[in-house]
């Protein structure tokens, strides 16, 4: 089993108010590289800043890293076209960030990225892949792809009040600019991604198609973005069993309607609740408040904890460790009362 | 502790008779990517062929992979400009293969590669790095760099009869073409690499300089190529302690005079003997015969086994496992008498 994190960028994230995967649009471009650093190394290596939402909630990479430290699973990073820097080794399947979906072509290299990822998915030696994503703005492109394919159009958000109306407007403009009506790209996943998707969707869909075709079991680890990838795989004619592992926070989000979407795509849905309400900690409070929900493979990481002999209590303790280590000594309003412990962790080089 | 494998290519390898890191020059371009696949995954993923010498000796990546499976250490791949494909995630510090050293500029991007690697070496969170290389033709470029720096000019070879005269001629021509006399690049490592080195030397030297400057202990894992990297680091003005961990096969090679070279560079030499003469197996016989000696971090991997509680008996058993898995079912003259075991290993997906 191996966790695969697919990282990329879309200029769609720069639409004001559309994403919270970073404190502001300038910092958001560093989010994918930082997420890879955190999952691969447990700290920043070449990325400049720990991603936090505008209100200070740290990236779900903290949860995935905590699960990785607890369970010891391998993680491999796939670069579908990131803009910022990372110290995480990666397999490249794409060279360029995606354009704003309102451009005529959102992902000019969609076909090449899909094919390179598909070949990689078929070649990786693992019996099971758990595939997650990190791409700010990705729920809007997911909405775009679902609409282009003619599938259920609800999507989740990293923002407390889902700016669904804004996403719908952006997607409608993108489809229009690409000369597509909803459903026009049914059966043609590469066309859907090229017109209104993002490079990560091309890569996740390709990896998944290649993996299942070679007999590898795939768990898509995430919310609506991974559901959109599942839709792309289905529209590529792949009818092998697929699992979507997401968080209880996505499942509880009415606007996402993830269960209905999974059902319509014949995808098994696994929902895991990390019971964050049991503690009061800045790494977890935002999820309980409905502000943060999913990302960076978090839903899959939680399901791996659930499958293991480890407990959610241990996971939450490890989340606190990772959080303290990442934010130790940084000027961050959410950090309080744990300076000594955090300094020790940093000095131990972990 | 982390093992770092730096992979790259130099067109110097295409000089007829200069390298045995591949069955022929066309196959040799796939050697670095295949070595990374083998160390990262224990099998080929995207590389097309297992590297063997013209006489059928498999790549020392087999030994490093075996040590990794035995000890469980992390390995990270650094791409300094490989030509072939690999399924191993990598950190890129260079974009282009090196030219033939007889060209005016052997590594036009030497400075950028050195600086990117140096930044990476300083940023990696490990307390110790064990750095190896895979680049066919690399002993000739090592000779070039040592001569440009004015250091001891003997070098080892992956060929049974070291074509030292040929290497000296090629290097002399390279220095001449670059307008350098021996010693002219003393104190200027980037100039030495740019004129007559290869991208891997730039990357290993940069990684090492950055790592030791940030307090990370560095073991250079290899023979004369890694000694040349040590020379570059010394000529960059870095006088921190350095260790060179090589095999008993390099140490026994008179033409390499590795002990004298290490001594003149104030580098601690660690020599490890895997006692391959204790067994009769095609993965190990060529070393005993003096045909194969080192590469892909083998000397460092052996020293890690020596430092651990594992035994060389266990390592040799694991080498047979890895060899059988890699060459199972392939039409390879060296494979005999282990078909069933090898098939089982392949089927188990390991």
């Amino acid at each position: 089993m191996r966790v695969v994190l697919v990282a990329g960028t879309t200029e769609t994230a720069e639409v004001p108010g559309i994403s919270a995967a970073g404190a502001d649009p300038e910092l958001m471009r560093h989010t994918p590289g930082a997420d890879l650093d955190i999952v691969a190394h447990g700290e920043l290596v070449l990325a400049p800043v720990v991603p936090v939402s505008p209100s200070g909630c740290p990236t779900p990479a903290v949860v995935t890293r905590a699960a990785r430290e607890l369970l010891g699973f391998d993680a491999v990073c796939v670069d579908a076209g990131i803009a910022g820097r990372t110290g995480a080794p990666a397999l490249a399947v794409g060279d360029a960030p995606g354009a704003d979906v309102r451009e005529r072509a959102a992902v000019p290299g969609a076909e090449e990225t899909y094919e390179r990822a598909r070949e990689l998915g078929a070649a990786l030696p693992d019996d099971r892949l758990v595939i997650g994503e990190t791409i700010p703005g990705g729920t809007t492109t997911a909405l775009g792809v679902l609409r282009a394919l003619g599938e259920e159009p609800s999507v989740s958000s990293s923002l407390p009040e889902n700016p669904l109306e804004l996403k719908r407007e952006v997607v409608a403009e993108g489809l229009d600019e690409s000369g597509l009506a909803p459903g026009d790209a049914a059966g043609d996943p590469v066309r859907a991604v090229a017109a209104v998707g993002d490079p990560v969707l091309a890569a996740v869909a390709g990896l998944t198609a290649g993996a299942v075709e070679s007999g590898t079991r795939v768990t898509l680890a995430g919310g609506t973005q991974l559901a959109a990838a599942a839709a792309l795989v289905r529209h590529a004619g792949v009818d092998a069993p697929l699992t979507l592992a997401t968080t209880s926070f996505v499942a509880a989000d009415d606007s996402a309607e993830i269960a209905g979407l999974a059902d319509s795509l014949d995808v098994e849905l696994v929902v895991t609740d990390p019971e964050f309400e049991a503690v009061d900690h800045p790494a977890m409070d935002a999820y309980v408040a409905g502000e943060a929900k999913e990302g960076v493979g978090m839903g899959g990481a939680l399901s791996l904890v659930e499958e293991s002999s480890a407990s959610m209590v241990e996971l939450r303790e490890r989340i606190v460790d990772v959080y303290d280590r990442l934010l130790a000594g940084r000027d961050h309003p959410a950090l309080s009362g744990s300076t000594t412990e955090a300094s020790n962790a940093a000095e131990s080089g972990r």
Side-chain angles (χ1 to χ4, degrees), chain A:
Chain A
M1 194 284 298
R2 194 186 303 259
V3 170
V4 181
L5 288 174
V6 184
T9 324
T10 167
E11 288 172 6
T12 310
E14 292 167 25
V15 176
I18 217 158
S19 174
D24 64 48
E26 174 51 33
L27 289 176
M28 221 179 298
R29 64 189 289 275
H30 298 299
T31 294
D35 283 342
L36 298 186
D37 266 0
I38 292 167
V39 174
H41 297 289
E43 61 184 86
L44 298 185
V45 174
L46 291 183
V49 62
V50 176
V52 294
S53 72
S55 66
C57 174
T59 168
V62 169
V63 178
T64 301
R65 172 68 193 189
R68 184 168 175 229
E69 292 185 9
L70 191 62
L71 307 177
F73 56 75
D74 274 345
V76 63
C77 301
V78 171
D79 182 354
I82 70 172
R85 305 184 64 203
T86 187
L91 286 154
V93 298
D95 300 320
D100 190 315
V101 295
R102 294 170 301 182
E103 302 284 325
R104 204 168 136 58
V107 188
E111 179 147 22
E112 196 200 341
T113 296
Y114 180 85
E115 289 302 335
R116 286 171 73 181
R118 182 170 169 160
E119 188 184 14
L120 180 65
L124 282 172
D126 309 276
D127 57 354
R128 180 184 178 195
L129 298 179
V130 176
I131 306 177
E133 57 68 37
T134 165
I135 177 168
T139 54
T140 302
T141 42
L143 173 63
V145 158
L146 287 167
R147 192 153 282 192
L149 296 173
E151 298 288 348
E152 185 70 33
S154 285
V155 292
S156 184
S157 172
S158 55
L159 286 163
E161 289 190 40
N162 194 343
L164 200 50
E165 227 18 78
L166 174 60
K167 293 179 184 179
R168 287 196 178 119
E169 280 166 29
V170 167
V171 163
E173 204 177 320
L175 286 167
D176 198 48
E177 189 61 38
S178 304
L180 287 180
D184 269 4
D188 193 346
V190 168
R191 187 174 174 211
V193 172
V196 288
D198 65 56
V200 166
L201 286 169
V204 173
L207 277 167
T208 303
V212 299
E213 281 165 13
S214 72
T216 302
R217 188 178 146 208
V218 172
T219 298
L220 294 163
T224 34
Q225 287 163 261
L226 279 295
L232 290 165
V233 173
R234 292 298 184 224
H235 280 259
V238 176
D239 57 6
L242 286 175
T243 300
L244 180 68
T246 196
T247 66
S248 50
F249 312 109
V250 167
D253 179 4
D254 283 342
S255 71
E257 290 169 11
I258 198 78
L261 186 50
D263 193 53
S264 72
L265 295 167
D266 192 23
V267 169
E268 182 200 20
L269 183 66
V270 173
V271 176
T272 311
D273 181 354
E275 300 152 17
F276 284 169
E277 70 282 357
V279 290
D280 180 11
H281 188 277
M284 293 173 265
D285 290 347
Y287 295 92
V288 179
E291 185 186 329
K293 298 181 186 78
E294 172 64 270
V296 201
M298 177 177 168
L302 294 180
S303 75
L304 292 173
V305 174
E306 188 84 12
E307 289 173 26
S308 78
S309 58
S311 71
M312 289 298 164
V313 174
E314 291 169 285
L315 176 70
R316 293 193 299 267
E317 287 169 358
R318 193 62 77 127
I319 289 170
V320 174
D321 281 355
V322 173
Y323 176 88
D324 286 349
R325 199 188 311 151
L326 279 170
L327 294 162
R330 291 173 202 268
D331 182 18
H332 192 274
L335 184 73
S336 63
S338 57
T339 315
T340 309
E341 191 189 340
S343 301
N344 290 345
E347 281 171 16
S348 78
R350 290 200 42 207

